[in-house]
Amino acid sequence: MHDLTLAELAEALASRACSSEELTTHLLARIEQHDGELNSLITVDADNALAAARQADAERSAGRAGRLTGVPLIHKDIFLTAGVRTSCGSRMLKNFVPPFDATVVERCRQAGMVMLGKANMDEFAMGSSNETSYFGPVRNPWDLTRVPGGSSGGSAAAVAAGFAPVATGTDTGGSIRQPAALCGITGLKPTYGRVSRFGMIAFASSLDQAGVFARSAEDAALLLQAMAGFDPRDSTSAELAVPDYAAALTQPLAGLRIGVVDEFFGEGLDAGVAGALEAAIGVLQGLGAEVTRVHLPQLGLSVPTYYVIAPAEASSNLSRFDGVRYGYRCEAPKDLEDLYKRSRSEGFGAEVKRRIMIGTYVLSAGYYDAYYLKAQRCRRLITDDFRRAFEQVDVLVAPSAPEVAFRLGEKADDPLKMYLSDINTIAVNLAGLPGISVPAGQIQGLPVGLQLIGRHFEEARLLNVAHQFQRETDWHRQRPARFA
Amino acid sequence: MEWETVIGLEVHAQLATQSKIFSGAATRYGAEPNTQACAIDLGYPGMLPVLNAGAVRMAVKFGLAIEAEIAPRSVFARKNYFYPDLPKGYQISQFELPIVGRGHLDVALDDGSIKRVGITRAHLEEDAGKSLHESFHGQSGIDLNRAGTPLLEIVSEPDLRSAREAVAYMKKLHALVRYLEICDGNMQEGSFRCDANVSVRPVGQAQFGTRAELKNLNSFRFVERAINYEIERQIALIEGGGTVVQETRLYDPARNETRSMRGKEEANDYRYFPDPDLLPVTVDEALRNAVRAELPELPDARRARFQAEYGLPAYDAAVLTASRELADYYEAVVAAVPDESKLAANWVMGDLAGALNKAGLEITESPVDASALAQLVRRIADGTISGRGAKTVFEGLWAGEGEVDALIDARGLRQISDTGALEAICEEVIAANPQQLAQYRAGKDKLLGFFVGQVMKATGGSANPQEVNRLLRAKLQA
C-alpha cells in the first residue's frame, strides 16, 4: 500500500479497495517501525491523523469525497499547524504550538487530506544536508550514512521511504529540488507567488516558496493543484488563475524547445551525474523535443548574491524570536539585554547565528551599498539572463545537484563547501522561476536528479515534461531496498 | 552675539482608520491591554502584513492638501531594532521612497504675516506597542494594542525660527488633518505628537548649528516650552565655550527641562531595507483624482470665503476657521441669522469661546448649541434685549436653564421699546433736571449721556438704549 502513488491511492480509496483509516494505520505503523533509523519526522500526530482519516471515510460514505479525500501527507515543520507543535527544526520553537493553520495546511485539510506528522528540516530551513536541525540529522533512505539533502530533508526522506505518498516542502535556494534529487523522488518548487506563504515561517521572504514532494510528476500535479492560488493574506501571492495541472500532463513534447544550460555542465559537476543527465536529455530528444545549448553568463554570481540577500532578509525575519512573547526564553534573565542575548544565543543553532550575523553585517550602515544593493543588481542580471534564455527555448535543463548524496558530516564543518551544494538551484530562486527535480539515474545505488526550469507560472509545462519523461523511464519507480 | 533658532518638526499623526495598517485588528483607544492585537500584531511566526488601503487614501489626501507630489510608486522598508514593544524586531515604515513628497503649509504668524513652511515628506508607518513600567513587581508589562496603528509621519523643512512659529505650524497642521478627517487630533491619547529638531546659529551664518532632537512632545504648550528651554540651553552652552552635541533629548514637563536620552554614538543602526513581504504601493491618476474629489474645503479657502461671504475681518476669519468644528458651528449660527454675521462672530469668538475655554470644553461639547446662540443674536439684533441682558441670557443658556425667549421673560430682560411709555419717562426725567437741560441747550452735548443714564435708571435698565437716545435727542432739542 505504501508503494502506491497518490494517483493510485486516490483510485483505491475511491473504489473502496481500502479505507483512509486502513491506509493511515498502515503508514503510521511504518513510521513507528522505521523512522528511528531515518529521523525524518519531528512530530507524529497519530491520534489526529486517525480521526481525520475516519472523518475522510465518513465524507466518502456521504458522497462528499474529492480526489484527495483521505490521502495522507506529511508537512514540513515550517508550516503552522493548528494545535500541533511547529518547531521549524529549532530549539527556539521546540514547544511552539500555533493557534491556526498555514494556508498550505488549510487547503490540504479542506481537500480532505490526512496529516500524519511534521517533517524534520534544517533549522529555520538553513542548510543543504539536514544536519542543522535541533532534532538531529535525517538520514538518506538509500544509504543511512549519507544525508538526504536539505533543508526539506525530512519531507524528501519520508516520501522516499514510503511513509507518505506526498509531502510539502519549502525551497529558498534549492531546499526542495536538491533533497528530491538526493532521495530519488520528484520535487517541485513553484514560481514565487504561486503558493501562499501565509503561515509558513519565513527564512528569506523574497525567495521562499512552498512546494511538493511526490513519487511522480502526476502526484506532484495533484498536490500542487490543492495548494496553489491567490491568498489575500499574502501580498506577494499572485492573483492569477490556477491551470488544471493534471490535464496538461499528457501534452506531447514534439517541437518543445529545451535548452541545456552550458554553465551548469562545466567544472564541479560529477562525471557520473553528467553522464546520467546526458542520457536523460537523450530521452527527451527521443520524445520529440529540440535540444539546444544556452548560456546564462551571470550564473557565477548566483551563490554570492544569494548569500547576501537571503541572510539579510533572514536577519530581520528572525528578529521576532526574542524570548519576549513566545518560543525559547533563557532561565532567569538579569535584564532585558541579558534576556535577548541568552535567549537568542541558546535558542538558535550555529548555522542560523552565522546567517544572522552575515545578514546584519551586509545591511549595516556603510556596507549596505557594497553588499545588499550590489546583490540586488546582480539578482537583476541573473533574472535578465533567464529572460533572454526563455526567448530561445521553452524549458531549461540542469543538474539538480552537482553530485549524489554526500556523507553525514562530510561538509558540516565547511560552510562554503556546503553552500556550493546549492549551486544548481539558487539562481532559479533569485529569478523567482519554477523548477522541478525528477529522478534521472543512479550512481552506485544513489539517485541523480534532473532539474527542469520553466518560465514564470509555467508549472504545468514542467509537470508535463516531467510526466512524459517518467512514462519513458522508471528511475522514479526505484525504491530504496531497506524500505521496500 | 545675536542668535537665530532653526527648527524642523516631525509630526506623527495617527490615521483614523478602523483597523490597523497591516492587520484587521481594531485601532480603538483605551481597550484592555492586548485585546486589540492579533497574531500579525504580535509578530507570530509565519504572519504577513497586508496593507490597509484606507491608510494609503488618507496619506494621499494629506499630500493633495499640502500640494505635494504624490509618489506613483512608494516602498515600505523595515527599520530594524530590538525593543520589547516592537514585536517583529522591526518597524515597517517608508524610507527612501515615501508616499508623499515635497509640499508646503501657509502659517499665520503672531504679527499677522503669512509664512510658507516647507514639508519635506510624509510617509506611512506602523506604530509600536507600549511598555508599561509600573506595578508589575519589578517587571515590565507590554501592551500591543497600539502596535500596528497607522501613522503618517510629516517631516517639515528646517524653516521655523522660533518656538511660537513651531507651535503655529503645528496648530495649522493639526487643524488640517482634522479638516481632512484623517486624524482625530487627540493629543492626550497620542494621536498627534511631535519630535522637534532644534539648533541655533549666529545671525547671518548660513550653515546650520548642531541640532538636538526633542522627543515625544504631546501638547502645544510642551512644544513651546521644550523648544524655548532647549534654545536657552544651547545658547548658554555655546556662549560658555562649549559645543552642542548631536543627540536625542527627552522633555520633562514636570521640571520644564530637556535631558539627554542617547547620543549619536549610541544611536541604533536601523539597517533599513525594502520589506520583501509587501509590494510597492502604487498611486495612479485615477486614485489621485478620486481622493481629490473627496477633499473638503480646506482652511485657507474657507478663511478667504468667510471674509468675502460674511464680510468678516481677516482676524475673525482666521480664528473661526482654525478648526473645522468651530467653522461649522459659526456657519450654523449665521445660517439662522444671515444679516448678523459680524455680531455672530463676536459672540462665537467672545463669550462662547471664553466660556468653553474656562470649562475646558471643545466646541463640539458646547452646552449652547448653534441654534440657541443664533436665537440670542437675533434677539439682540431686533432690540428685544440689550447687550448686557444678552450676557445674562447666555449664562442661563450655558447653565441649561431654558431657551432664549423663556429666559428673557423669566429674567425680565425684555427692553421697553414702547414709545409712549418711554416718552413719558423721558419727559419726567427732563422735567426733574432743569439745570442740566439748560446747560445742554447751551451747547453741552455731552449731557445727553446723563439723561440717558437717568432714563435707564428709572426703567431699571430695561429700556432700549437706542430708542431712549432717539427720544431724548428729539425732546432736548425742542
Side-chain angles (χ1 to χ4, degrees):
Chain A
M1 210 161 10
H2 57 266
D3 206 28
L4 300 177
T5 66
L6 184 153
E8 290 160 349
L9 283 173
E11 214 162 287
L13 288 166
S15 68
R16 315 285 174 99
C18 74
S19 70
S20 178
E21 188 176 359
E22 285 162 352
L23 179 57
T24 301
T25 306
H26 172 72
L27 294 178
L28 287 170
R30 260 183 84 72
I31 291 168
E32 172 78 34
Q33 194 187 340
H34 293 293
D35 201 40
E37 299 184 313
L38 285 185
N39 195 29
S40 70
L41 295 174
I42 291 173
T43 302
V44 179
D45 192 25
D47 292 348
N48 286 326
L50 286 169
R54 283 190 283 269
Q55 171 75 22
D57 288 334
E59 293 291 319
R60 190 172 298 282
S61 299
R64 288 191 298 262
R67 186 150 184 201
L68 299 180
T69 299
V71 174
L73 92 167
I74 290 167
H75 285 301
K76 186 178 182 180
D77 208 18
I78 200 169
F79 294 102
L80 302 193
T81 42
V84 177
R85 185 253 305 262
T86 301
S87 75
C88 220
S90 182
R91 183 182 193 191
M92 186 58 86
L93 293 176
K94 74 170 181 174
N95 294 318
F96 179 67
V97 178
F100 38 69
D101 285 334
T103 298
V104 161
V105 173
E106 183 183 273
R107 289 188 178 179
C108 290
R109 209 188 282 281
Q110 280 165 359
M113 298 188 80
V114 173
M115 183 186 80
L116 301 175
K118 306 292 293 289
N120 202 344
M121 56 182 285
D122 277 301
E123 185 180 9
F124 283 102
M126 298 177 191
S128 309
S129 66
N130 223 305
E131 291 168 291
T132 72
S133 171
Y134 174 69
F135 299 88
V138 178
R139 289 163 191 276
N140 191 315
W142 294 86
D143 179 346
L144 296 180
T145 67
R146 292 176 188 267
V147 303
S151 67
S152 311
S155 301
V159 171
F163 294 169
V166 290
T168 57
T170 60
D171 189 319
T172 305
S175 286
I176 288 174
R177 290 158 290 156
Q178 186 251 19
L182 270 47
C183 290
I185 59 170
T186 302
L188 172 68
K189 174 206 114 62
T191 310
Y192 183 79
R194 177 81 286 181
V195 178
S196 170
R197 293 188 296 116
F198 181 84
M200 184 175 117
I201 298 176
F203 160 17
S205 312
S206 75
L207 300 160
D208 294 343
Q209 179 60 205
V212 301
F213 289 97
R215 293 200 204 104
S216 69
E218 183 183 16
D219 287 5
L222 294 173
L223 182 54
L224 180 64
Q225 196 77 50
M227 283 163 49
F230 175 67
D231 178 5
R233 294 177 297 184
D234 174 4
S235 311
T236 63
S237 78
E239 218 167 339
L240 287 173
V242 179
D244 183 339
Y245 295 120
L249 295 172
T250 52
Q251 185 86 11
L253 300 191
L256 182 82
R257 297 171 303 167
I258 288 181
V260 177
V261 182
D262 204 44
E263 286 79 2
F264 279 133
F265 288 85
E267 206 187 325
L269 183 65
D270 178 271
V273 172
L277 294 183
E278 267 165 44
I281 292 163
V283 171
L284 293 172
Q285 262 173 321
L287 285 164
E290 298 164 14
V291 175
T292 53
R293 292 189 91 77
V294 296
H295 289 277
L296 300 173
Q298 308 296 342
L299 207 62
L301 297 174
S302 56
V303 172
T305 298
Y306 177 87
Y307 277 99
V308 170
I309 292 174
E313 294 180 7
S315 70
S316 176
N317 283 332
L318 270 59
S319 293
R320 66 190 61 200
F321 304 107
D322 56 6
V324 173
R325 294 164 310 284
Y326 52 76
Y328 179 80
R329 178 186 286 187
C330 67
E331 291 291 328
K334 283 200 303 286
D335 53 26
L336 181 61
E337 192 164 319
D338 188 43
L339 168 75
Y340 283 153
K341 283 186 174 166
R342 283 204 289 124
S343 297
R344 289 170 65 79
S345 298
E346 295 163 16
F348 290 137
E351 183 59 29
V352 171
K353 282 187 264 196
R354 177 167 20 244
R355 297 202 195 188
I356 289 173
M357 283 186 278
I358 294 171
T360 303
Y361 179 79
V362 301
L363 289 174
S364 298
Y367 298 98
Y368 180 85
D369 290 6
Y371 292 105
Y372 184 79
L373 220 52
K374 187 166 275 179
Q376 291 294 5
R377 274 190 226 115
C378 292
R379 184 175 187 174
R380 166 62 55 196
L381 294 175
I382 292 162
T383 307
D384 287 347
D385 270 4
F386 276 108
R387 190 176 43 72
R388 276 190 289 272
F390 282 121
E391 286 167 4
Q392 304 163 40
V393 297
D394 303 308
V395 171
L396 296 171
V397 299
S400 302
E403 55 185 1
V404 293
F406 48 93
R407 290 189 188 281
L408 281 156
E410 191 179 323
K411 301 182 182 186
D413 297 329
D414 188 343
L416 280 183
K417 226 174 178 180
M418 187 69 90
Y419 295 172
L420 288 170
S421 319
D422 290 334
I423 195 162
N424 300 121
T425 46
I426 273 176
V428 174
N429 297 80
L430 289 169
L433 299 165
I436 191 168
S437 177
V438 291
Q442 283 191 0
I443 301 168
Q444 289 168 355
L446 294 171
V448 171
L450 167 73
Q451 184 182 197
L452 303 165
I453 304 161
R455 296 190 188 99
H456 287 118
F457 300 103
E458 291 195 353
E459 288 80 5
R461 192 191 295 271
L462 293 185
L463 289 162
N464 167 222
V465 177
H467 179 70
Q468 294 301 317
F469 178 77
Q470 288 178 344
R471 284 178 59 172
E472 296 296 317
T473 57
D474 68 351
W475 297 114
H476 65 293
R477 295 203 178 274
Q478 308 293 318
R479 301 281 178 265
R482 198 180 189 92
F483 298 91
Chain B
M1 193 183 288
E2 287 260 2
W3 296 95
E4 182 183 45
T5 307
V6 176
I7 303 162
L9 294 188
E10 292 169 15
V11 171
H12 288 88
Q14 181 182 317
L15 296 176
T17 53
Q18 294 298 302
S19 59
K20 293 185 176 177
I21 184 165
F22 298 120
S23 84
T27 52
R28 277 186 312 275
Y29 179 83
E32 280 291 302
N34 300 310
T35 55
Q36 286 178 184
C38 69
I40 294 171
D41 308 320
L42 293 170
Y44 256 52
M47 295 299 98
L48 296 170
V50 176
L51 179 60
N52 182 336
V56 172
R57 245 185 136 82
M58 289 182 183
V60 171
K61 207 169 179 183
F62 176 78
L64 292 172
I66 60 162
E67 295 175 346
E69 305 148 18
I70 309 295
R73 179 177 172 279
S74 64
V75 170
F76 281 102
R78 294 184 182 178
K79 180 179 179 179
N80 295 283
Y81 66 96
F82 285 100
Y83 205 69
D85 61 22
L86 189 71
K88 298 186 296 297
Y90 58 84
Q91 177 194 27
I92 305 177
S93 181
Q94 294 190 306
F95 186 54
E96 281 181 338
L97 296 169
I99 186 163
V100 176
R102 189 169 257 284
H104 58 82
L105 201 61
D106 289 337
V107 179
L109 302 183
D110 290 344
D111 65 4
S113 66
I114 300 287
K115 174 165 183 158
R116 175 157 287 193
V117 179
I119 290 176
T120 317
R121 59 183 282 169
H123 65 254
L124 286 166
E125 63 183 25
E126 58 177 344
D127 208 344
K130 272 184 199 163
S131 295
L132 309 166
H133 295 299
E134 63 282 343
S135 71
F136 291 96
H137 315 289
Q139 297 192 306
S140 290
I142 308 290
D143 177 6
L144 294 174
N145 282 352
R146 203 180 64 181
T149 297
L151 298 177
L152 187 66
E153 179 173 334
I154 304 156
V155 182
S156 87
E157 290 286 296
D159 286 349
L160 302 160
R161 293 291 173 265
S162 69
R164 295 285 297 161
E165 282 188 16
V167 170
Y169 162 78
M170 197 175 163
K171 281 189 171 164
K172 184 68 184 280
L173 202 56
H174 187 253
L176 180 63
V177 295
R178 302 216 312 170
Y179 260 87
L180 296 171
E181 294 181 319
I182 61 173
C183 173
D184 68 14
N186 191 321
M187 296 175 79
Q188 284 84 44
E189 294 175 4
S191 301
F192 191 84
R193 54 189 198 259
C194 103
D195 304 333
N197 286 298
V198 179
S199 65
V200 296
R201 62 180 170 188
V203 169
Q205 180 182 306
Q207 200 188 341
F208 290 142
T210 305
R211 66 190 157 84
E213 184 181 10
L214 311 183
K215 276 289 185 199
N216 249 1
L217 308 169
N218 63 358
S219 84
F220 296 122
R221 200 185 313 144
F222 292 168
V223 169
E224 186 165 350
R225 284 191 189 166
I227 291 173
N228 280 331
Y229 174 88
E230 184 60 21
I231 294 168
E232 284 175 29
R233 187 189 71 86
Q234 290 186 13
I235 292 172
L237 190 63
I238 298 168
E239 290 184 340
T243 47
V244 176
V245 293
Q246 191 179 324
E247 61 183 352
T248 303
R249 299 180 69 86
L250 196 68
Y251 177 65
D252 178 349
R255 295 187 180 178
N256 188 33
E257 63 177 30
T258 65
R259 279 198 302 272
S260 183
M261 219 170 116
R262 58 171 178 266
K264 195 183 177 183
E265 56 285 350
E266 301 157 63
N268 280 310
D269 177 357
Y270 291 123
R271 291 170 283 122
Y272 280 101
F273 74 105
D275 191 332
D277 287 334
L278 289 159
L279 303 177
V281 184
T282 54
V283 179
D284 58 13
E285 204 183 336
L287 177 58
R288 273 202 310 277
N289 289 340
V291 175
R292 201 188 300 278
E294 286 170 12
L295 281 180
E297 187 183 25
L298 297 177
D300 289 346
R302 202 168 192 185
R303 189 187 60 208
R305 182 169 64 79
F306 274 25
Q307 283 183 251
E309 192 174 329
Y310 303 127
L312 295 179
Y315 176 80
D316 292 21
V319 170
L320 291 171
T321 54
S323 87
R324 183 173 182 165
E325 293 80 4
L326 185 63
D328 288 347
Y329 184 99
Y330 171 72
E331 291 214 270
V333 176
V334 174
V337 284
D339 295 334
E340 301 299 334
S341 56
K342 176 59 182 151
L343 186 58
N346 292 346
W347 272 88
V348 172
M349 293 161 57
D351 293 69
L352 178 66
L356 289 170
N357 196 26
K358 204 170 147 193
L361 294 176
E362 296 294 320
I363 184 71
T364 47
E365 302 164 312
S366 171
V368 181
D369 65 21
S371 67
L373 195 72
Q375 181 65 5
L376 182 66
V377 169
R378 184 180 288 122
R379 288 295 170 247
I380 301 166
D382 69 13
T384 307
I385 50 174
S386 66
R388 195 199 294 169
K391 287 183 189 295
T392 309
V393 175
F394 181 80
E395 281 164 21
L397 286 173
W398 183 269
E401 291 164 0
E403 289 170 30
V404 173
D405 290 343
L407 284 166
I408 291 172
D409 290 334
R411 310 269 153 101
L413 296 172
R414 195 172 292 276
Q415 299 186 115
I416 301 171
S417 299
D418 176 341
T419 311
L422 272 185
E423 251 176 317
I425 296 165
C426 289
E427 280 161 14
E428 280 170 31
V429 166
I430 291 168
N433 295 286
Q435 200 182 335
Q436 284 80 357
L437 178 66
Q439 284 173 352
Y440 179 87
R441 285 190 174 157
K444 209 171 175 186
D445 292 353
K446 279 183 184 163
L447 281 168
L448 176 63
F450 165 79
F451 287 105
V452 172
Q454 292 299 309
V455 174
M456 294 309 286
K457 195 174 164 188
T459 58
S462 67
N464 181 335
Q466 281 85 44
E467 188 64 11
V468 173
N469 260 296
R470 190 182 65 77
L471 288 171
L472 280 172
R473 214 183 286 271
K475 290 188 189 298
L476 290 168
Q477 297 299 340

